[in-house]
Short mmCIF file of all heavy atoms in Angstrom, two decimals:
data_model
loop_
_atom_site.label_atom_id
_atom_site.label_comp_id
_atom_site.label_asym_id
_atom_site.label_seq_id
_atom_site.Cartn_x
_atom_site.Cartn_y
_atom_site.Cartn_z
N LYS B 509 13.04 -8.95 -9.78
CA LYS B 509 14.32 -9.48 -10.10
C LYS B 509 15.31 -8.32 -10.33
O LYS B 509 14.99 -7.38 -11.04
CB LYS B 509 14.20 -10.33 -11.36
CG LYS B 509 15.44 -11.13 -11.69
CD LYS B 509 15.16 -12.04 -12.87
CE LYS B 509 16.40 -12.83 -13.23
NZ LYS B 509 16.15 -13.72 -14.39
N ILE B 510 16.45 -8.41 -9.69
CA ILE B 510 17.41 -7.34 -9.83
C ILE B 510 18.33 -7.67 -11.04
O ILE B 510 18.95 -8.71 -11.10
CB ILE B 510 18.28 -7.18 -8.55
CG1 ILE B 510 17.38 -6.71 -7.41
CG2 ILE B 510 19.41 -6.19 -8.78
CD1 ILE B 510 18.13 -6.50 -6.10
N GLU B 511 18.40 -6.71 -11.94
CA GLU B 511 19.34 -6.85 -13.09
C GLU B 511 20.47 -5.85 -12.88
O GLU B 511 20.24 -4.65 -12.65
CB GLU B 511 18.62 -6.56 -14.40
CG GLU B 511 17.58 -7.60 -14.76
CD GLU B 511 16.86 -7.34 -16.06
OE1 GLU B 511 17.21 -6.32 -16.70
OE2 GLU B 511 15.98 -8.12 -16.41
N ILE B 512 21.67 -6.36 -12.97
CA ILE B 512 22.89 -5.53 -12.82
C ILE B 512 23.66 -5.60 -14.11
O ILE B 512 24.04 -6.72 -14.54
CB ILE B 512 23.76 -6.04 -11.64
CG1 ILE B 512 22.91 -6.00 -10.33
CG2 ILE B 512 25.01 -5.19 -11.48
CD1 ILE B 512 23.62 -6.70 -9.15
N PHE B 513 23.87 -4.49 -14.74
CA PHE B 513 24.55 -4.53 -16.05
C PHE B 513 25.30 -3.23 -16.30
O PHE B 513 25.07 -2.22 -15.66
CB PHE B 513 23.55 -4.78 -17.19
CG PHE B 513 22.48 -3.72 -17.28
CD1 PHE B 513 22.66 -2.64 -18.12
CD2 PHE B 513 21.33 -3.79 -16.55
CE1 PHE B 513 21.70 -1.64 -18.25
CE2 PHE B 513 20.37 -2.83 -16.63
CZ PHE B 513 20.55 -1.75 -17.49
N GLY B 514 26.22 -3.27 -17.23
CA GLY B 514 27.02 -2.09 -17.58
C GLY B 514 28.16 -1.89 -16.62
O GLY B 514 28.42 -2.70 -15.72
N GLY B 515 28.93 -0.83 -16.84
CA GLY B 515 30.02 -0.49 -15.93
C GLY B 515 31.26 -1.36 -16.12
O GLY B 515 32.08 -1.40 -15.23
N ASP B 516 31.36 -2.05 -17.23
CA ASP B 516 32.56 -2.82 -17.56
C ASP B 516 32.70 -4.11 -16.76
O ASP B 516 33.55 -4.96 -17.10
CB ASP B 516 33.85 -2.03 -17.41
CG ASP B 516 33.92 -0.88 -18.42
OD1 ASP B 516 33.23 -1.02 -19.48
OD2 ASP B 516 34.58 0.11 -18.16
N GLY B 517 32.01 -4.25 -15.67
CA GLY B 517 32.17 -5.44 -14.81
C GLY B 517 31.23 -6.53 -15.23
O GLY B 517 30.45 -6.43 -16.16
N ILE B 518 31.33 -7.63 -14.47
CA ILE B 518 30.46 -8.78 -14.79
C ILE B 518 30.27 -9.61 -13.50
O ILE B 518 31.12 -9.56 -12.59
CB ILE B 518 31.11 -9.63 -15.90
CG1 ILE B 518 30.08 -10.64 -16.48
CG2 ILE B 518 32.37 -10.31 -15.42
CD1 ILE B 518 30.60 -11.32 -17.73
N GLY B 519 29.20 -10.33 -13.51
CA GLY B 519 29.04 -11.35 -12.46
C GLY B 519 28.35 -10.91 -11.18
O GLY B 519 28.27 -11.69 -10.24
N GLY B 520 27.83 -9.69 -11.11
CA GLY B 520 27.15 -9.28 -9.91
C GLY B 520 25.72 -9.76 -9.87
O GLY B 520 24.98 -9.63 -10.87
N PHE B 521 25.32 -10.38 -8.76
CA PHE B 521 23.93 -10.84 -8.63
C PHE B 521 23.43 -10.49 -7.24
O PHE B 521 24.17 -10.54 -6.26
CB PHE B 521 23.83 -12.36 -8.81
CG PHE B 521 24.13 -12.80 -10.20
CD1 PHE B 521 25.37 -13.32 -10.53
CD2 PHE B 521 23.17 -12.68 -11.21
CE1 PHE B 521 25.65 -13.73 -11.84
CE2 PHE B 521 23.45 -13.09 -12.49
CZ PHE B 521 24.70 -13.61 -12.80
N ALA B 522 22.17 -10.14 -7.17
CA ALA B 522 21.58 -9.77 -5.86
C ALA B 522 20.10 -10.11 -5.86
O ALA B 522 19.47 -10.19 -6.92
CB ALA B 522 21.78 -8.28 -5.61
N ASN B 523 19.56 -10.32 -4.69
CA ASN B 523 18.14 -10.53 -4.52
C ASN B 523 17.51 -9.32 -3.82
O ASN B 523 18.12 -8.71 -2.91
CB ASN B 523 17.86 -11.75 -3.66
CG ASN B 523 18.05 -13.05 -4.42
OD1 ASN B 523 17.62 -13.15 -5.57
ND2 ASN B 523 18.74 -14.00 -3.83
N ALA B 524 16.32 -8.93 -4.27
CA ALA B 524 15.65 -7.82 -3.63
C ALA B 524 15.05 -8.25 -2.31
O ALA B 524 14.51 -9.32 -2.17
CB ALA B 524 14.55 -7.29 -4.54
N VAL B 525 15.20 -7.38 -1.31
CA VAL B 525 14.57 -7.62 0.00
C VAL B 525 13.31 -6.74 0.02
O VAL B 525 13.39 -5.52 -0.03
CB VAL B 525 15.50 -7.24 1.15
CG1 VAL B 525 14.84 -7.55 2.49
CG2 VAL B 525 16.84 -7.97 1.02
N VAL B 526 12.16 -7.41 0.07
CA VAL B 526 10.87 -6.73 -0.01
C VAL B 526 10.17 -6.81 1.36
O VAL B 526 10.05 -7.89 1.91
CB VAL B 526 9.96 -7.31 -1.10
CG1 VAL B 526 8.66 -6.59 -1.16
CG2 VAL B 526 10.66 -7.29 -2.44
N SER B 527 9.79 -5.65 1.86
CA SER B 527 9.10 -5.64 3.16
C SER B 527 7.70 -6.22 3.02
O SER B 527 7.18 -6.38 1.91
CB SER B 527 9.02 -4.23 3.72
OG SER B 527 8.04 -3.51 3.02
#
Side-chain angles (χ1 to χ4, degrees):
Chain B
K509 189 174 178 180
I510 295 181
E511 292 181 1
I512 301 171
F513 61 92
D516 294 336
I518 193 170
F521 293 100
N523 284 315
V525 182
V526 180
S527 75

